[in-house]
């Protein structure tokens, strides 16, 4: 039972363009969502998060959008840079319980 | 900066061996977690701990156990390693009462069981 899904295993984008990574969830109890970035042979690093009471959160080049009615969130990276090439995981949690439910990940490749 | 360290970056063990993976965090965090990462499956929670001597099963606890004798240290134990436990193992920690919910991850241990 995959409660958090990233249906695109990979995405290729030209440098300077927008990258859009998508994530769907099934559990309406989730109230907090996070995005992590992972380089090979390193642990994931926290990127950006959003509470379910908001529909948008922005941090520099990174913006996360949440559509609760569609149970969908997306991460926008503008402009994309080659250093953004990594695997991106979305994650969800509820009740401050501490447990994160992760998606399968999307590998982003930004080409110069 | 939060620092989470793991005892080994790469480990090769034989089938049937008992394996210990150690994780230490330096931020006095209450919560600690062990995940494994496999291609196409994302990160899956094995065990977690809310405090010293407390442990809870995650989604895939079979074949694993954990120990948390001190707040800063959380150990994952493979009682009898099997080839299907070949994976990347990631430890994470999280503080309570900060208003933020992100977990901080260590660099990972790539375990190969032959």
């Amino acid at each position: 039972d995959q409660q958090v899904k990233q249906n695109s295993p990979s995405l290729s984008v030209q440098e300077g363009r927008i990258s859009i990574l998508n994530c769907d969830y099934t559990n309406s109890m989730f109230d907090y969502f996070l995005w992590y970035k992972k380089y090979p042979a390193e642990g994931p690093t926290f990127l950006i998060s959003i509470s379910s009471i908001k529909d948008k959160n922005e941090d520099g080049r990174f913006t996360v959008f949440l559509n609760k009615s569609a149970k969908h969130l997306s991460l926008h990276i503008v402009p994309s840079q080659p250093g953004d090439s990594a695997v991106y995981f979305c994650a969800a949690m509820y009740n401050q319980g501490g447990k994160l439910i992760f998606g399968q990940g999307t590998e982003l490749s930004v080409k110069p | 900066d939060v620092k989470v360290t793991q005892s080994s970056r790469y480990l090769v063990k034989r089938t049937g061996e008992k394996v210990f993976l150690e994780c230490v965090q330096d931020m006095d965090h209450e919560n600690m977690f062990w995940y494994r990462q496999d291609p196409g499956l994302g990160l899956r929670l094995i065990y977690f701990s809310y405090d010293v001597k407390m442990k809870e099963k995650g989604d895939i606890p079979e074949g694993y156990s954990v120990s948390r004798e001190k707040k800063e240290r959380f150990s994952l134990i493979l009682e009898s390693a099997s080839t299907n436990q070949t994976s990347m193992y990631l430890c994470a920690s999280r503080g309570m009462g900060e208003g933020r919910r992100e977990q901080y991850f260590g660099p990972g241990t790539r375990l190969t069981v032959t």
Side-chain angles (χ1 to χ4, degrees):
Chain A
D1 177 26
Q2 190 79 27
Q3 297 186 68
V4 179
K5 293 182 184 178
Q6 293 175 258
N7 292 316
S8 298
S10 62
L11 176 67
S12 183
V13 170
Q14 207 67 32
E15 181 179 6
R17 299 288 187 110
I18 184 171
S19 296
I20 301 176
L21 296 101
N22 294 302
C23 181
D24 297 297
Y25 62 96
T26 57
N27 191 338
S28 57
M29 297 293 291
F30 289 143
D31 62 1
Y32 201 80
F33 303 87
L34 306 90
W35 283 94
Y36 281 83
K37 175 180 178 179
K38 186 181 184 300
Y39 293 117
E42 292 184 16
T45 54
F46 169 72
L47 202 54
I48 192 169
S49 61
I50 187 167
S51 165
S52 61
I53 62 173
K54 295 185 175 182
D55 54 18
K56 178 182 174 181
N57 189 27
E58 198 170 349
D59 184 2
R61 296 186 297 115
F62 302 91
T63 303
V64 56
F65 294 92
L66 176 62
N67 182 334
K68 280 190 296 182
S69 60
K71 295 191 178 68
H72 176 84
L73 66 154
S74 60
L75 175 68
H76 293 210
I77 306 173
V78 184
S80 302
Q81 300 172 354
D84 296 329
S85 297
V87 178
Y88 290 78
F89 292 98
C90 68
M93 67 187 302
Y94 57 91
N95 290 340
Q96 288 206 342
K99 284 177 60 175
L100 288 177
I101 312 297
F102 283 87
Q104 307 96 311
T106 296
E107 185 171 8
L108 174 66
S109 175
V110 180
K111 301 198 180 302
Chain B
D1 267 0
V2 176
K3 187 144 190 200
V4 180
T5 56
Q6 295 184 227
S7 50
S8 304
R9 296 298 301 272
Y10 300 93
L11 212 50
V12 180
K13 295 292 182 182
R14 292 191 181 276
T15 302
E17 278 193 82
K18 191 168 186 175
V19 182
F20 294 87
L21 302 181
E22 303 284 339
C23 175
V24 177
Q25 48 95 3
D26 67 355
M27 282 300 292
D28 202 37
H29 281 171
E30 289 81 1
N31 299 172
M32 296 188 74
F33 306 83
W34 275 106
Y35 296 87
R36 62 178 282 177
Q37 183 202 351
D38 301 288
L41 297 177
L43 277 70
R44 292 180 293 165
L45 182 64
I46 304 171
Y47 266 97
F48 60 105
S49 169
Y50 285 128
D51 209 338
V52 177
K53 296 196 186 293
M54 295 179 67
K55 58 185 178 184
E56 298 270 350
K57 291 181 180 179
D59 299 318
I60 51 164
E62 296 79 19
Y64 304 94
S65 62
V66 290
S67 172
R68 190 151 180 219
E69 296 296 318
K70 293 185 178 181
K71 192 174 186 180
E72 68 271 19
R73 188 179 298 268
F74 192 35
S75 303
L76 179 71
I77 303 150
L78 285 65
E79 298 290 344
S80 176
S82 63
T83 54
N84 63 13
Q85 292 179 310
T86 291
S87 187
M88 168 69 89
Y89 289 88
L90 294 158
C91 175
S93 74
R94 173 183 170 242
M96 297 298 293
E98 298 169 354
R100 294 170 64 173
R101 307 198 204 177
E102 62 266 28
Q103 296 177 11
Y104 298 88
F105 283 84
T109 296
R110 171 70 65 184
L111 173 67
T112 302
V113 182
T114 62

